[in-house]
Every structure is written in C-alpha cells, then in structure tokens.
Amino acid sequence: QSALTQPASVSGSPGQSITISCTGTSSDIGRYNYVSWYQQHPGKAPKLLIYEVFSRPSGVSNRFSGSKSGNTASLTISGLQADDESDYYCSSYASSGTFFGGGTKLTVL
Amino acid sequence: QVQLQESGPGLVKPSETLSLTCTVSGGSISSDSSYWSWIRQPAGKGLEWIGRIYTSGGTFYKTSLKSRLTMSIDTSKNQLSLKLSSVIAADTAVYYCARGMVHAIDAFDVWGRGSLVTVSS
C-alpha cells in the first residue's frame, strides 16, 4: 500500500477559499470514514484539524472543513488568513495500517 | 493537559539499534487513550506512520518495518518506547510520538515535539 496522493502545492489570497485533495484507494479512503487532516508549521509538530472525514476537534476554527467522495477526501479552508500558510497532511486508516499523504504546501499570496 | 516528550540519542551508527522514549505528562498513559503511535518525518519530507501500541500492550507495526521494530509501554512510568534495529541512513528522521484520540478512530490529537535521530558513522 502506498502513501496517499496530495497536490504538492496550492495557493490562495487572503479571504478566499481553497481545497486540498487527498486521493487514496478502495482499501483506505474509499473503504473507511477515518480520514484525518493535519496542519504543520515549519519546525513544529503536526496539529489535528479534522478527524473521521469531517469532524473538528475542540478549538479548531470552523474555517476548516472536510469531506469525502469515493476514494478522495478534501480539506477546504475558507476565509484564508496569513497564518494558514503551512504544510497540510491527510491520513487514512487501512487494515494494513495508517497512511499519510505526501503533504501540500499552502501559500497565502 | 496531556503533553508528550520524546527523548533518546540523537546519533545512531548504521546497523545499530535506535531507541527512543516518549514520556507522558499531565495524564495517564493507560486511561487517557486506548492507543499511542510513533510517526517519523525525514527532513523536508512527509509524515510516515511507523506503528501503534495499545494500552493493553498489543502492537501493530508498519509492514515494511515490522521485522526491525519493537514498541512497548510502561504504565508505571507513563512511558512508551520505540526500538528500531539494524538502522540505515534512510531511518534518519524526526520521530514523533502521538496520542490516539479518544472516541475517534486513527486520529492523533496530541503530539510530542519530536526527536531528531541521525543515522551516521
């Protein structure tokens, strides 16, 4: 089983919305609703943004939302802010373990 | 508030064993979650899940690392440990321990700050 596929980079202007995709297979994203999203600033540990496809942990802004269709999950960030500039990773449960995406660098223009 | 702190040698020679400890503070390792994971990240690269250990002591390892990996849990010390044998340069990474979120599947809501391990002679 391989890592999940994410675009290497996305960009957007302050106030805009962006979506990051995460493509897996019928063995991971397509089979289970156990997709998580993490934000990682340089030199810092990842921070959980979304779990179980669309749920947000307490304290995470509702500007972050998750969804899934078939083998692809998506993270949408609305009302982009400068501090959203970061790396974002998806992950999915599979019977053979947990798999992360390669990461997407978000640039806020 | 639960906090995690990884510790261990920052430099390991090729073919030797990498050993890391994760100390849980502000909570109980046996009651604050049902499972804990180790995740690593080579410099400039993405995250790689290594394996998980349940508070019962059961383990589940990444298939490609299974033959070299040992995870354990010491509830009396509130610590997790990771041992990776026969290390090679490709094992050089920042190693994180992370808590499996309560009442959620396969989500990590608390992370340590990470411990950089370099494999080099």
Side-chain angles (χ1 to χ4, degrees), chain A residues 34 36 38 40 44-46 48 51-52 57 89 91-93 95-98 100 102, chain B residues 39 41 45-49 52 60 63 96 101 103-109 111-112:
Chain A
Y34 302 139
S36 299
Y38 301 86
Q40 186 181 34
K44 301 293 187 182
L48 180 65
Y51 66 97
E52 294 180 350
Y89 293 92
S91 74
S92 176
Y93 174 86
S95 60
S96 54
T98 299
F100 284 94
Chain B
I39 294 154
Q41 184 173 35
K45 296 188 178 180
L47 301 167
E48 178 187 23
W49 176 82
R52 75 172 78 102
F60 188 52
T63 301
Y96 295 100
M101 188 176 183
H103 305 309
I105 301 295
D106 214 46
F108 310 115
D109 64 337
W111 295 62

